Structure formats: C-alpha cells, structure tokens
Amino acid sequence: HLPEEKNGIKMFSDRGSPDVDELMELALAEAREWYTVGLVPPSSGREGVLCSGLVDYLPEYAETLARALRREVGGADPAKPLEGLRIVVNPGKGSGCFFSDLLSDLGADTRGSIHCTPDGTFPESFGVPNPEKASMVDETIEACHAHDADLGVMFDTDADRAGFVLPNGDGAYEPLNRNRLIAMLGYAFSSQSPGCTVVTDSTTSEGLSDFLSGLGLNHVRYLRGYANVIRRAKEITANDETDQVAEVAIETSGHCAMRENGYVDDGTYTAVKIIGLLARSKAAGTGSLLENIAGLEEMEYDRE
C-alpha cells in the first residue's frame, strides 16, 4: 500500500507469520550466518545490497493454492476441479493478478476477469484496490453480469484481503464481505471443525455472534488489527486447558488467517475456501451460496 519506491515483502515460515520480535531475531541471526559464510555481498553504498540472482517463488506458491483447491473441491477430475465454473477475478492490478490464471489452469472460465496486469503506480483514475470500496464492488458486479459469473473475487493491493460478489438467485449480485464473509466462513467450518472458535476484531455485529452461535461455534471478539486477532487465535489454540481450536482469525476488513494455512493472513487462501464451497454446492445442485447465511441478521453500521 506504500508508494512504489517503498515496496516491500512479507515473510512467513511453516510456523506462520512471525511477529516483529521474531522477525528481527530471525533476520539478524540469518544475516550474521550468511555474512560469515560469504553469501551476503558487500554493501553497495546508499543503494543497499545488490543481488546477482533471482528466485521466482510464485509458481511454488501458486501450486500450494492449487493443491488446496483440489482438496477443497474433491470430485472425479483432479486436473480440472473447477470445470464448469465461471469466475471473475478483480485483483485491481495488484499482486493477486496471478490468481485468474491459476483458476483457469484448474478448469474455471475466467475470461471475464478484469485488471489482471500488475501496475504498482495505481494511478488516481483507478486508485488503490480495496475489496470494501464501492467502486471496486460495482465494477466487479458489472463484469459478473457481463459473463454470467458464478462468483466474483476481489483482492486488495497485496492480496491479503479478499471480498466477493455472488448471485442472489433473483438475477442480481450481492457483496460477500465484512460480517457476511465471516458468517460464510463460519458456515464452512461448522461442518469441517464442529464447535471451533472464530476470532474477529471488535467491530463485528451482534447479528454475526448470534449466527455463529447458532452454528455451534464460539465467537471471540478481540482488539482491532489483523496481527492482534491472529495472535489471539494462536493463544487460544495453544492453550491445552481450554481444549479450544481457533480455526479462523479475521477482521471485518477481510484480513483473514486460518489455522490450516499456518495462520498466514492470505486473501487468496480465503478465496480457496469460498471457491471450494461454491464448487461443492454446484455439484450438489443447491441454490445460491447466500442461502447458507440467510439466518444472519443484517445490522446497520457506521463508517469511519
């Protein structure tokens, strides 16, 4: 979300995302070791360290998502598990642009996808992608109408937040974000991990709490900030005395981390869960996914 000259990276391991102290400890330890064995080149002055090699990790990362989608969808064709689905992806010219090709490789029709060419300048005429932004939701709905899509997927700049639009069964599309998205994930996990805990930030609604409770799930509200809800989820799961498992840690903004994905906040993995639910629903011949959250009491909220 920073200006392009201040671009950066995110780091995570098989234990999930490190916090600031863990990251500093890891960076210093590795830097000392790499310098000692001669792997780190000498400083290049004010411009920093110049690297002579490039590692393309995206294919490996994309394959982990493909494996997760095959697992979520199941079915008889592991090569094309998304065959027959029409999905519009709108990554907003951000780092989630690869996701449309990934879904296409797995059989989905993604020809209606928009803004899939990365452009880190985000000109004012377009703006920074935000799946909560009305203009981004509206243009995704328009693209879904044009291609009779089963689902629209939106990402923010670094694709750690996701939002969706779904057909409501009456010829229109509706957004699936904020409390609705949390409710849908709760519905998915109520069968996958009955009685589990969902940790959210403090701005979720009472209607959501009632809905999750009706699914037999525990709803824990915590401090705003995705790092806070993730930390709280880890604490709950690690506490052997309570015997609780926090499967989901999510903010109403769409930042979402799941235990099965190492508590990494990853919007593309959130999309994996929603797409998997959609594919299974289609295979079963059921109606709109929105019917799964029909019992959610929609409540008004104030915008900051």
Side-chain angles (χ1 to χ4, degrees):
H1 307 286
L2 298 173
E4 58 181 328
E5 69 273 11
K6 295 182 179 179
N7 211 342
I9 62 172
K10 285 190 172 184
M11 298 179 66
F12 57 90
S13 71
D14 56 0
R15 298 187 303 275
S17 300
D19 60 27
V20 174
D21 291 338
E22 292 170 337
L23 186 58
M24 290 299 295
E25 182 180 350
L26 173 65
L28 288 173
E30 292 297 325
R32 292 190 186 101
E33 176 65 20
W34 292 354
Y35 184 83
T36 299
V37 300
L39 292 177
V40 176
S43 172
S44 304
R46 294 176 63 89
E47 298 302 318
V49 174
L50 299 180
C51 297
S52 59
L54 175 65
V55 177
D56 186 4
Y57 186 70
L58 185 57
E60 171 64 24
Y61 174 58
E63 180 56 30
T64 65
L65 296 173
R67 288 196 297 268
L69 274 166
R70 292 187 185 100
R71 182 195 69 230
E72 288 292 318
V73 175
D77 187 359
K80 300 290 183 181
L82 303 182
E83 195 79 58
L85 290 181
R86 293 182 298 274
I87 302 175
V88 166
V89 179
N90 181 3
K93 303 184 181 182
S95 62
C97 289
F98 75 97
F99 199 69
S100 181
D101 287 340
L102 169 65
L103 300 184
S104 179
D105 290 344
L106 294 175
D109 181 350
T110 61
R111 288 175 294 179
S113 294
I114 56 178
H115 304 314
C116 289
T117 301
D119 180 3
T121 62
F122 301 113
E124 288 188 16
S125 60
F126 178 78
V128 175
N130 177 354
E132 289 186 285
K133 189 167 63 174
S135 59
M136 190 174 192
V137 173
D138 290 343
E139 68 175 359
T140 306
I141 288 177
E142 183 178 348
C144 286
H145 271 298
H147 292 83
D148 193 23
D150 300 299
L151 176 70
V153 182
M154 300 168 289
F155 298 120
D156 70 339
T157 317
D158 52 354
D160 62 356
R161 290 195 294 140
F164 307 87
V165 297
L166 283 165
N168 63 10
D170 295 324
Y173 287 83
E174 298 182 14
L176 179 73
N177 53 21
R178 300 183 64 84
N179 290 295
R180 281 182 158 198
L181 175 56
I182 303 171
M184 190 69 77
L185 291 171
Y187 170 81
F189 277 98
S190 65
S191 57
Q192 178 180 327
S193 183
C196 70
T197 295
V198 176
V199 180
T200 72
D201 58 355
S202 58
T203 60
T204 50
S205 71
E206 290 297 325
L208 176 66
S209 288
D210 292 341
F211 180 81
L212 295 176
S213 177
L215 294 173
L217 305 181
N218 302 302
H219 180 201
V220 173
R221 285 196 182 103
Y222 198 59
L223 301 173
R224 294 188 67 181
Y226 69 93
N228 292 325
V229 295
I230 291 173
R231 183 177 68 251
R232 183 62 182 136
K234 288 180 176 179
E235 290 171 351
I236 291 171
T237 301
N239 188 348
D240 295 332
E241 295 181 3
T242 62
D243 196 32
Q244 286 293 316
V245 174
E247 295 285 6
V248 181
I250 183 170
E251 285 189 296
T252 50
S253 65
H255 276 124
C256 182
M258 302 181 202
R259 184 178 71 95
E260 65 189 45
N261 194 37
Y263 288 121
V264 176
D265 55 310
D266 186 346
T268 60
Y269 197 84
T270 305
V272 163
K273 299 298 287 189
I274 298 299
I275 293 170
L277 190 60
L278 172 66
R280 297 194 303 274
S281 176
K282 279 278 189 179
T286 55
S288 169
L289 276 187
L290 292 173
E291 294 177 6
N292 297 325
I293 58 171
L296 173 67
E297 181 184 2
E298 304 275 7
M299 307 182 77
E300 293 185 4
Y301 59 88
D302 293 327
R303 293 185 180 274
E304 293 183 353

